[in-house]
Amino acid sequence: AQSVSQHNHHVILSEAASLELGCNYSYGGTVNLFWYVQYPGQHLQLLLKYFSGDPLVKGIKGFEAEFIKSKFSFNLRKPSVQWSDTAEYFCAVTTGSARQLTFGSGTQLTVLP
Amino acid sequence: EAEVAQSPRYKITEKSQAVAFWCDPISGHATLYWYRQILGQGPELLVQFQDESVVDDSQLPKDRFSAERLKGVDSTLKIQPAELGDSAMYLCASSLVTDTQYFGPGTRLTVL
């Protein structure tokens, strides 16, 4: 079965700092990759997704992620974070025809004003 | 923008009691999912429906959990009897034929 690893459980940054959250998955076949975000008190929202094509995908609110197949990675980036980016970020993957999401354990991002 | 609806948002119950959660997916979404999210972890799939049929319930503890989607629209997840370890957030999600799942606000269950 596939698994997803998020390397950082809690990241603390100051506003305007650059962000990179790591995500690695274990599955040798075709994957669809997602980043979801959960703002305090809100439900999970899709940030961006990769199905095929350009491995650099852009999402909402200035976030982007790069799929590196050789490294089984899908890291999330943002050049300059804002206080409003404080949230929990989840990487997830679906494989094959199952279309079932397997989530990582999440990374809590705290941005200090 | 259409959203997945869930109720109740919060539920406190005593162990051995029965609880039920309701989910109304986005209109037209044939696939419905129930997840359980324990604090500090990512959501884990409990059951997946395609229309009214169960596609996968391999992770559903069937001795106490049940789920139904009788008319292929809204769905109910039940726990009977509830145990202390069931305290968690229960999330519902729905999707079209693509992989993108849209999540509801969840029901936070506390079992005392």
Side-chain angles (χ1 to χ4, degrees):
Chain A
Q2 64 267 25
S3 65
V4 179
S5 298
Q6 292 185 241
H7 314 299
N8 309 101
H9 293 295
H10 196 179
V11 172
I12 302 174
L13 296 172
S14 297
E15 274 193 316
S18 64
L19 169 72
E20 181 161 3
L21 301 182
C23 173
N24 286 90
Y25 63 92
S26 63
Y27 184 75
T30 302
V31 293
N32 294 330
L33 296 154
F34 304 80
W35 276 97
Y36 281 85
V37 60
Q38 191 167 26
Y39 297 103
Q42 298 187 27
H43 59 277
L44 276 167
Q45 302 172 37
L46 181 68
L47 202 55
L48 49 79
K49 61 186 178 183
Y50 172 80
F51 287 179
S52 63
D54 188 344
L56 183 62
V57 293
K58 296 190 183 299
I60 60 173
K61 303 186 180 184
F63 286 90
E64 65 179 29
E66 184 175 13
F67 171 51
I68 303 179
K69 188 175 182 179
S70 61
K71 296 184 177 181
F72 299 90
S73 70
F74 190 56
N75 291 353
L76 180 70
R77 300 195 294 247
K78 186 172 184 179
S80 176
V81 295
Q82 301 174 319
W83 176 78
S84 58
D85 293 325
T86 294
E88 190 154 20
Y89 293 80
F90 293 94
C91 182
V93 60
T94 61
T95 60
S97 61
R99 280 188 265 145
Q100 295 171 358
L101 280 170
T102 298
F103 283 88
S105 57
T107 297
Q108 174 65 47
L109 171 65
T110 300
V111 181
L112 303 175
Chain B
E1 182 177 305
E3 294 185 342
V4 176
Q6 288 188 249
S7 67
R9 294 291 306 275
Y10 304 91
K11 179 69 178 179
I12 300 174
T13 191
E14 294 184 345
K15 63 180 181 179
S16 80
Q17 296 299 303
V19 293
F21 314 132
W22 176 80
C23 171
D24 191 13
I26 293 172
S27 178
H29 282 195
T31 311
L32 184 147
Y33 311 80
W34 283 101
Y35 291 85
R36 177 169 58 187
Q37 183 178 16
I38 296 170
L39 193 63
Q41 299 181 19
E44 295 180 326
L45 181 70
L46 290 174
V47 61
Q48 177 184 352
F49 288 93
Q50 181 68 31
D51 298 309
E52 67 276 8
S53 300
V54 174
V55 173
D56 186 344
D57 62 357
S58 58
Q59 300 304 310
L60 189 70
K62 298 182 190 62
D63 57 334
R64 297 184 300 107
F65 286 65
S66 64
E68 61 183 15
R69 194 184 183 199
L70 294 177
K71 297 183 179 179
V73 181
D74 57 341
S75 175
T76 301
L77 178 69
K78 297 179 181 177
I79 308 175
Q80 182 174 15
E83 296 181 353
L84 296 177
D86 297 331
S87 294
M89 178 74 84
Y90 290 83
L91 299 169
C92 180
S94 69
S95 68
L96 286 170
V97 294
T98 64
D99 284 304
T100 304
Q101 296 181 27
Y102 298 89
F103 285 80
T107 296
R108 181 167 296 283
L109 173 67
T110 301
V111 182
L112 303 176

